[in-house]
Amino acid sequence: MHVLILGGTSEARRLADVLVADPALRVTSSLAGRVAQPRLPAGEVRIGGFGGPAGLAAWLRTHRVDALIDATHPFAGTMSRNAALAVADTGTPLLALRRPSWAPQDGDRWHPVASLSAAAEALPALGGRVFLTTGRQGIAAFAHLDGLWFLARSVEPPVPPMPSAVEVLLERGPFTLDGERELLRTHRIDVLVTKDSGSAATAPKLTAARELGLPVVVVQRPAAPQGVRTAPDVAGAADWVRGLAD
């Protein structure tokens, strides 16, 4: 049985580890190729796009894929839509592995917004020194905010356009609570901007912001394709695969 994992997340790597241990399964992980030195999962790996829904459907047929798991980032909306369209064409079983969203706790000062552009609109009223954790591709949405100072953290170096006053911090999670506390204090951050990735690896920044009473602009996830079955964790996704194999 051939399983294709649309990956790039920590859950995708853990799922590949679990499935590769089953000799009855052939596991291929597909990575988008946006990171220069990605963490490679176990099993077979392909890197690069498919060429839209039709290209993915063709790949599923050519490589005789029996099950497709969309374990991409919650904000990889285009890839998730392409997966749903491709399986509608091929009939391949599809599961979306989606970690739960973050939930606000007592003391949080969250400002939910629908997009990066809405986050940029909200910032001037919330603070002047911004910790931006939306990834390198999200920095451009804030390039016009010349009156603010930004600390932008990303795995890969961002490309212009960027804000005129920005310090780039190249780091990859997981991050510690002590480290996030120190970062916020050292850079005198007064507002945090993040996407609702739901990842435990990057959640400590939310706790640190809560402790300091900082406002947090939270960009909400795009809507998932309708009709796609989901699992909240690796165990659930692995059980789904085993159920197909039985």
Side-chain angles (χ1 to χ4, degrees), residues 59-167:
W59 203 95
L60 295 175
R61 290 192 180 98
T62 299
H63 297 269
R64 299 182 179 181
V65 173
D66 300 293
L68 176 63
I69 299 177
D70 173 15
T72 57
H73 192 277
F75 282 82
T78 299
M79 190 67 250
S80 294
R81 288 191 295 273
N82 288 350
L85 291 170
V87 301
D89 182 20
T90 64
T92 308
L94 169 64
L95 178 79
L97 173 53
R98 286 289 177 267
R99 63 180 77 132
S101 291
W102 286 321
Q105 300 182 26
D106 290 343
D108 281 327
R109 296 174 58 198
W110 285 14
H111 298 263
V113 294
S115 65
L116 290 171
S117 59
E121 291 179 9
L123 275 182
L126 295 175
R129 295 183 66 82
V130 184
F131 183 25
L132 191 60
T133 63
T134 56
R136 64 169 181 164
Q137 293 180 313
I139 295 177
F142 304 87
H144 63 288
L145 297 175
D146 293 332
L148 307 182
W149 181 88
F150 291 86
L151 176 67
R153 183 166 67 190
S154 62
V155 176
E156 297 282 324
V159 295
M162 292 190 293
S164 57
V166 61
E167 178 179 335

Side-chain angles (χ1 to χ4, degrees), residues 233-246:
D233 52 32
V234 170
D239 287 343
W240 177 78
V241 173
R242 296 185 187 105
L244 293 177
D246 289 343

Side-chain angles (χ1 to χ4, degrees), residues 107-108 110 131 153 175-185 189 192 202-216:
D108 281 327
W110 285 14
F131 183 25
R153 183 166 67 190
F175 302 104
T176 67
L177 178 55
D178 285 343
E180 299 292 64
R181 287 168 174 155
E182 181 64 22
L183 183 148
L184 294 178
R185 291 193 181 101
I189 299 298
L192 166 66
T202 56
K205 64 189 173 188
L206 300 174
T207 303
R210 183 187 313 121
E211 291 176 350
L212 293 172
L214 303 184
V216 180

